[in-house]
Amino acid sequence: MKHLKSWVEVPDNSDFTIYNIPFGVFKTLEITPRLGAAIGNYVLDLAYLADHDYFSMISPLNKKVFHSKYLNEFMALGKPITNAVRLAIIDLLSESNPKLQEHTLDRKQALIPIEQVTMLLPIDVKNYTDFYSSKEHATNVGVMFRDPENALLPNWSYIPIGYHGRASSVIPSGTMIQRPKGQIIPQGENEPILAPTKALDFELEMGFITGKSNMLGTSIQMEDAEDYIFGMVLLNDWSARDIQKWEYVPLGPFLGKNFATSISPWVVTMEALEPFRTAGPIQIPEALPYLAYSENKNYDIHLSVDLKTECSNKKTICNTNFKYMYWNMCQQLVHHTINGCNIQVGDLYGSGTISGKDSGSYGSMLELSWNTTKPIALGNGITRTFLEDGDTIIMKGYAEKDTIRVGFGEVNTTILPTN
Amino acid sequence: MKHLKSWVEVPDNSDFTIYNIPFGVFKTLEITPRLGAAIGNYVLDLAYLADHDYFSMISPLNKKVFHSKYLNEFMALGKPITNAVRLAIIDLLSESNPKLQEHTLDRKQALIPIEQVTMLLPIDVKNYTDFYSSKEHATNVGVMFRDPENALLPNWSYIPIGYHGRASSVIPSGTMIQRPKGQIIPQGENEPILAPTKALDFELEMGFITGKSNMLGTSIQMEDAEDYIFGMVLLNDWSARDIQKWEYVPLGPFLGKNFATSISPWVVTMEALEPFRTAGPIQIPEALPYLAYSENKNYDIHLSVDLKTECSNKKTICNTNFKYMYWNMCQQLVHHTINGCNIQVGDLYGSGTISGKDSGSYGSMLELSWNTTKPIALGNGITRTFLEDGDTIIMKGYAEKDTIRVGFGEVNTTILPTN
């Protein structure tokens, strides 16, 4: 890849290098919600740039999309256009390009220090599907709750198992969540009570977002699947294990999950992630022909979870990698539409909890504390099995190769007491 | 209730009497999509009436909402306004009111013969939740697939069990569906193949639609629940039993359901259904206090399913009633938000399959044919266990008391072969 350097200062280890250029939606005290791109510690006001003809070489391009509250209309323009916009931004930010760099007024107006902006939910979430595609996670859950000898259910190895989640409660990083209440069975009892969950958990996931729709009754083929995927975010699939446990048979998780799903505000494009493709695990049994794929469809993305409590400093409790996923995003999408189900621009798809092989790489408190049997030490004598009020979960993710770094920022969420 | 009569001819047994006035979205060859109300065999063009000041006594009222492609903006005005519009329409259609009746031009423009219109999907479905609230249905499924001695799972009697369905594939009556394909296990085999479903089924349900939202983190109280429910439709929750059976453990139905959900195009308001309130079944064990309710919250609505094949005439295969539901709509809605989940204007909620006690009142082919052991005779020597290509399912519903009749029209869907 060509070496790139921006005239905007990009700190070492910044997630938002010139190789990245993620898209998001922001506002400031003066500026109404609109589309932005991140570079170093700045947000580039794309509506301002469009209005001042910085994208005039891209045609057709409706400038109004940059003034939207969501990325949906922009994504719907299609990859030829959205990629051209991203490349135009990279060009504009390159140190050899004087156009914006030397235009004092536009530079001042368009480049906003990141601490002055509020990042908003980047997409109008049309449908939210959550998969269950980490073999390690599915195995851990099976060992704990079913049969250690037959931890994986028979269908798991054939189907990228998924279910529909709640679109309305997807929230951006920074939005605090309340501890949900619900029906739970007190220990040693048979009948439920209504109470705040005692088993509040995070699930470390990544989400992908579709920027293209198919018609109801048609299926997306493997060779076309990538064209539908606009980009990715970090995703925290909040879970109340005691509510979930009591309710989920036979129709799946409902109130144990749908009180909140947090995502990172910057959508990293698949084009920015291109250098980080890697091979996925060998699938045995072989996937059915409609799920067969060639070339690398996994991505080498380092992921971590920090836990901060009111009485202890931030501590990293999980380090894992998105490359461990058994079922890849294209397989998930192809499977999702094999029955003719129609996907929409702005649909969000969670990967499922991303766990690695060793216990420091598990993507949930349930697994990290092995269902409360191994409390996690956080320093100052503080331990956790599940999460307490006032705790903050911070998920981060980045990809790095040679001198290229592309990151996701974070999804940061603090837990408030029950209302 | 006051006796009402319309100057518009309303045939005997019409679903769309002056007591009903359901709302929908229609278009004609000349008229762009807009809101309408049904009366007898006519559709009233509400955009035309609003533009010609027939609703000028209602304030504030943004006339633009009647030109929308969906009912969402209209519903979001709130019940004081939407009820006032419905009452104004009833007044305008009453035989004692000459205003529209004697205005030759407006009457001709605003009253369109129903055969000239195409009915569209009435709401922009934001989220779709499907419940499982018929005790008879849940028991039948439990007897067939689990343990006849313990047919109901322990949680069923405490929780209005529900799960998230697919919003994007909700379609209106008249839209044909394709037989979905998916992973199924051939009889006697252990491994799945990709094939068209051999077990395509309908599920007779009713759906309610919310016209009011709550904030994430808040819960709707029982005494406020009715204020959130705008109206109801007939709902066919299409199901592919073989796909569902292989995929649904542990996270619930996914591709076995999300290829299509059909609804009737006219949304009957809760105000029109008021005369048909009736007591629900006694709940044992007693519901937890947050689900306790007073007054009648079930509705006496006759429901039927007709099946027509390419080789046999329409035959009624199911007669049942919405009054049999164990969990009522208010309990469903209160439970849905007890964890702080936010509902939105335009959310759709399926009741779950509505089965009665006797075998002629079962709301699915699965139950009617008792899992293929009792084929249904349709005449001409034609029988069915599940549905075949070319079959048409027609669901109807109406409420009747004294001289008042309020009906839903129908949801009519024909099955096409796999693409």
Side-chain angles (χ1 to χ4, degrees):
Chain A
M1 181 177 268
K2 192 179 144 192
H3 178 72
L4 298 170
K5 191 168 179 350
S6 179
W7 50 265
V8 179
E9 194 200 332
V10 177
D12 285 350
N13 287 325
S14 172
D15 281 350
F16 306 132
T17 64
I18 192 166
Y19 296 102
N20 190 348
I21 313 298
F23 293 97
V25 178
F26 75 98
K27 66 176 182 179
T28 71
L29 290 177
E30 294 84 28
I31 297 175
T32 54
R34 58 184 58 186
L35 273 53
I39 178 76
N41 292 328
Y42 292 87
V43 173
L44 203 57
D45 181 340
L46 299 183
Y48 182 92
L49 291 181
D51 289 347
H52 291 77
D53 293 327
Y54 281 92
F55 301 137
S56 55
M57 71 299 251
I58 301 164
S59 175
L61 181 64
N62 179 354
K63 293 178 193 174
K64 273 197 213 160
V65 302
F66 298 104
H67 285 275
S68 176
K69 286 196 298 182
Y70 297 108
L71 291 176
N72 297 46
E73 287 174 64
F74 174 66
M75 295 190 297
L77 297 175
K79 289 215 173 197
I81 301 291
T82 59
N83 285 343
V85 170
R86 180 169 165 273
L87 293 175
I89 295 168
I90 290 173
D91 183 41
L92 210 52
L93 295 174
S94 295
E95 62 181 355
S96 59
N97 187 336
K99 194 171 175 190
L100 180 61
Q101 187 179 179
E102 294 179 7
H103 194 301
T104 315
L105 175 64
D106 285 354
R107 180 177 162 159
K108 190 167 181 303
Q109 293 288 319
L111 209 59
I112 304 165
I114 208 161
E115 66 272 14
Q116 291 178 18
V117 313
T118 300
M119 294 305 299
L120 305 171
L121 189 66
I123 54 166
D124 182 12
V125 182
K126 292 297 181 186
N127 303 271
Y128 165 43
T129 297
D130 197 25
F131 287 95
Y132 186 56
S133 290
S134 155
K135 188 169 189 170
E136 291 77 7
H137 171 68
T139 303
N140 286 340
V141 172
V143 168
M144 276 187 268
F145 295 117
R146 284 184 294 265
D147 174 7
E149 301 301 309
N150 294 289
L152 273 189
L153 288 167
N155 58 10
W156 196 92
S157 302
Y158 292 93
I159 298 179
I161 293 285
Y163 67 103
H164 293 115
R166 182 80 188 173
S168 71
S169 54
V170 177
I171 52 177
S173 176
T175 304
M176 293 188 243
I177 65 161
Q178 282 172 13
R179 177 176 298 274
K181 51 182 187 288
Q183 289 194 21
I184 60 179
I185 308 276
Q187 201 150 20
E189 306 281 330
N190 291 315
E191 297 199 351
I193 59 167
L194 177 65
T197 175
K198 291 181 174 58
L200 185 56
D201 202 355
F202 69 85
E203 287 191 345
L204 171 63
E205 303 193 12
M206 297 205 71
F208 74 87
I209 294 162
T210 43
K212 185 174 172 176
S213 61
N214 68 316
M215 296 277 289
L216 187 64
T218 67
S219 302
I220 297 172
Q221 305 303 310
M222 184 58 73
E223 59 268 30
D224 302 323
E226 292 189 353
D227 197 33
Y228 288 79
I229 305 177
F230 177 80
M232 297 186 70
V233 292
L234 302 167
L235 186 151
N236 185 346
D237 178 30
W238 293 101
S239 300
R241 301 294 178 195
D242 41 8
I243 297 172
Q244 185 181 350
K245 189 177 172 188
W246 171 231
E247 76 176 356
Y248 91 105
V249 177
L251 299 181
F254 187 51
L255 300 195
K257 297 272 194 180
N258 68 9
F259 56 93
T261 304
S262 302
I263 62 172
S264 53
W266 291 107
V267 182
V268 175
T269 65
M270 297 319 293
E271 288 68 30
L273 294 169
E274 189 63 32
F276 311 106
R277 280 181 187 265
T278 187
I282 293 167
Q283 299 183 321
I284 301 172
E286 206 177 333
L288 290 186
Y290 77 101
L291 294 173
Y293 67 97
S294 55
E295 297 172 358
N296 290 342
K297 292 199 186 293
N298 277 40
Y299 291 83
D300 183 359
I301 301 170
H302 301 271
L303 298 166
S304 64
V305 180
D306 294 345
L307 170 53
K308 185 177 166 302
T309 78
E310 289 176 326
C311 304
S312 63
N313 293 329
K314 202 159 75 170
K315 181 173 176 187
T316 300
I317 58 172
C318 164
N319 275 297
T320 185
N321 197 301
F322 186 57
K323 72 183 174 189
Y324 297 136
M325 300 308 291
Y326 186 86
W327 296 105
N328 63 56
M329 295 180 280
C330 291
Q331 289 180 312
Q332 291 169 342
L333 194 57
V334 165
H335 179 68
H336 202 319
T337 63
I338 189 64
N339 67 343
C341 182
N342 56 329
I343 64 155
Q344 296 182 304
V345 173
D347 287 353
L348 174 67
Y349 309 74
S351 56
T353 308
I354 303 163
S355 294
K357 287 196 193 310
D358 67 274
S359 61
S361 67
Y362 294 167
S364 67
M365 297 292 280
L366 178 71
E367 293 164 270
L368 289 166
S369 76
W370 206 250
N371 196 21
T372 78
T373 61
K374 297 178 180 173
I376 305 161
L378 299 172
N380 289 348
I382 306 289
T383 63
R384 286 287 182 273
T385 52
F386 288 113
L387 298 169
E388 304 289 334
D389 295 344
D391 289 358
T392 299
I393 287 287
I394 304 149
M395 297 178 174
K396 294 181 196 166
Y398 69 92
E400 203 164 34
K401 191 176 182 183
D402 305 328
T403 57
I404 303 175
R405 185 182 161 108
V406 168
F408 287 79
E410 63 180 38
V411 54
N412 180 318
T413 318
T414 299
I415 297 158
L416 298 174
T418 298
N419 198 339
Chain B
M1 182 177 267
K2 192 179 144 193
H3 178 72
L4 298 171
K5 192 168 177 355
S6 179
W7 50 265
V8 178
E9 192 200 332
V10 177
D12 286 350
N13 287 325
S14 172
D15 282 349
F16 306 132
T17 65
I18 192 166
Y19 297 101
N20 190 348
I21 312 300
F23 293 97
V25 178
F26 75 98
K27 65 176 184 180
T28 71
L29 289 177
E30 295 84 28
I31 297 175
T32 54
R34 58 184 57 187
L35 273 54
I39 178 76
N41 292 328
Y42 292 87
V43 173
L44 204 55
D45 180 340
L46 300 183
Y48 183 91
L49 291 181
D51 290 346
H52 292 78
D53 294 326
Y54 282 91
F55 301 138
S56 55
M57 70 299 247
I58 302 165
S59 174
L61 181 63
N62 178 356
K63 292 178 193 172
K64 273 197 214 160
V65 302
F66 297 104
H67 285 275
S68 177
K69 285 196 299 182
Y70 297 108
L71 291 175
N72 297 47
E73 286 174 63
F74 174 67
M75 296 190 296
L77 298 175
K79 288 215 174 197
I81 300 291
T82 59
N83 285 342
V85 169
R86 181 169 166 274
L87 293 174
I89 295 168
I90 290 173
D91 184 42
L92 209 52
L93 295 174
S94 294
E95 62 180 355
S96 59
N97 187 335
K99 195 170 175 190
L100 179 61
Q101 186 178 180
E102 295 179 6
H103 194 301
T104 316
L105 176 65
D106 285 354
R107 180 176 163 161
K108 189 166 182 303
Q109 292 289 319
L111 209 59
I112 304 165
I114 209 160
E115 67 272 14
Q116 291 178 18
V117 312
T118 301
M119 294 305 299
L120 305 171
L121 189 67
I123 53 167
D124 182 12
V125 182
K126 292 298 182 185
N127 303 270
Y128 166 43
T129 297
D130 197 25
F131 287 95
Y132 186 57
S133 289
S134 156
K135 189 169 189 169
E136 290 78 6
H137 171 68
T139 303
N140 285 341
V141 172
V143 167
M144 275 187 269
F145 294 116
R146 284 183 293 266
D147 174 7
E149 301 300 309
N150 295 288
L152 273 188
L153 288 167
N155 58 9
W156 196 92
S157 302
Y158 292 93
I159 298 179
I161 293 285
Y163 68 102
H164 294 117
R166 182 81 189 173
S168 70
S169 54
V170 177
I171 52 177
S173 176
T175 304
M176 293 189 242
I177 64 162
Q178 280 173 13
R179 176 176 299 273
K181 51 181 187 289
Q183 289 195 20
I184 60 179
I185 308 277
Q187 202 151 18
E189 305 281 331
N190 291 315
E191 298 198 352
I193 58 166
L194 177 65
T197 176
K198 292 181 173 56
L200 185 57
D201 201 355
F202 69 85
E203 287 192 344
L204 171 63
E205 303 194 11
M206 296 205 70
F208 73 86
I209 294 162
T210 43
K212 186 175 172 176
S213 61
N214 68 316
M215 295 276 290
L216 187 65
T218 67
S219 301
I220 297 172
Q221 305 302 310
M222 184 58 73
E223 60 267 30
D224 302 323
E226 292 189 353
D227 198 32
Y228 289 79
I229 304 177
F230 177 81
M232 298 186 69
V233 291
L234 303 167
L235 187 149
N236 185 346
D237 179 30
W238 293 102
S239 300
R241 302 294 178 196
D242 41 8
I243 297 172
Q244 184 181 349
K245 188 176 173 189
W246 170 232
E247 76 177 356
Y248 90 106
V249 177
L251 298 180
F254 187 51
L255 298 196
K257 296 273 193 180
N258 69 9
F259 56 93
T261 303
S262 302
I263 63 172
S264 54
W266 291 108
V267 182
V268 175
T269 65
M270 297 320 293
E271 290 66 31
L273 294 168
E274 190 62 33
F276 311 106
R277 280 182 187 266
T278 187
I282 293 167
Q283 298 182 321
I284 299 171
E286 207 176 332
L288 290 186
Y290 77 101
L291 293 173
Y293 67 96
S294 55
E295 297 171 358
N296 291 342
K297 292 200 186 291
N298 277 41
Y299 292 83
D300 183 358
I301 301 170
H302 302 271
L303 298 167
S304 65
V305 180
D306 294 345
L307 170 53
K308 185 178 166 301
T309 78
E310 289 177 326
C311 304
S312 63
N313 292 328
K314 202 159 73 169
K315 180 172 177 187
T316 300
I317 57 172
C318 163
N319 275 296
T320 185
N321 196 301
F322 186 57
K323 73 182 175 190
Y324 297 135
M325 299 309 291
Y326 186 87
W327 297 106
N328 63 55
M329 294 180 281
C330 291
Q331 290 179 311
Q332 291 168 341
L333 194 57
V334 165
H335 179 68
H336 202 318
T337 64
I338 189 64
N339 67 343
C341 182
N342 57 329
I343 63 156
Q344 297 182 303
V345 174
D347 286 352
L348 175 67
Y349 309 75
S351 57
T353 307
I354 304 164
S355 293
K357 286 195 194 309
D358 68 273
S359 61
S361 66
Y362 293 167
S364 65
M365 297 292 281
L366 178 71
E367 294 164 270
L368 289 166
S369 76
W370 206 252
N371 196 21
T372 76
T373 61
K374 297 177 180 174
I376 305 161
L378 300 172
N380 289 349
I382 305 289
T383 63
R384 285 287 183 273
T385 53
F386 289 112
L387 299 168
E388 304 289 334
D389 296 344
D391 288 359
T392 299
I393 286 288
I394 303 150
M395 297 178 173
K396 294 181 195 165
Y398 69 92
E400 202 164 34
K401 192 177 182 183
D402 306 327
T403 58
I404 303 174
R405 185 181 161 108
V406 168
F408 286 79
E410 63 180 38
V411 53
N412 180 318
T413 317
T414 299
I415 297 158
L416 299 175
T418 298
N419 198 340

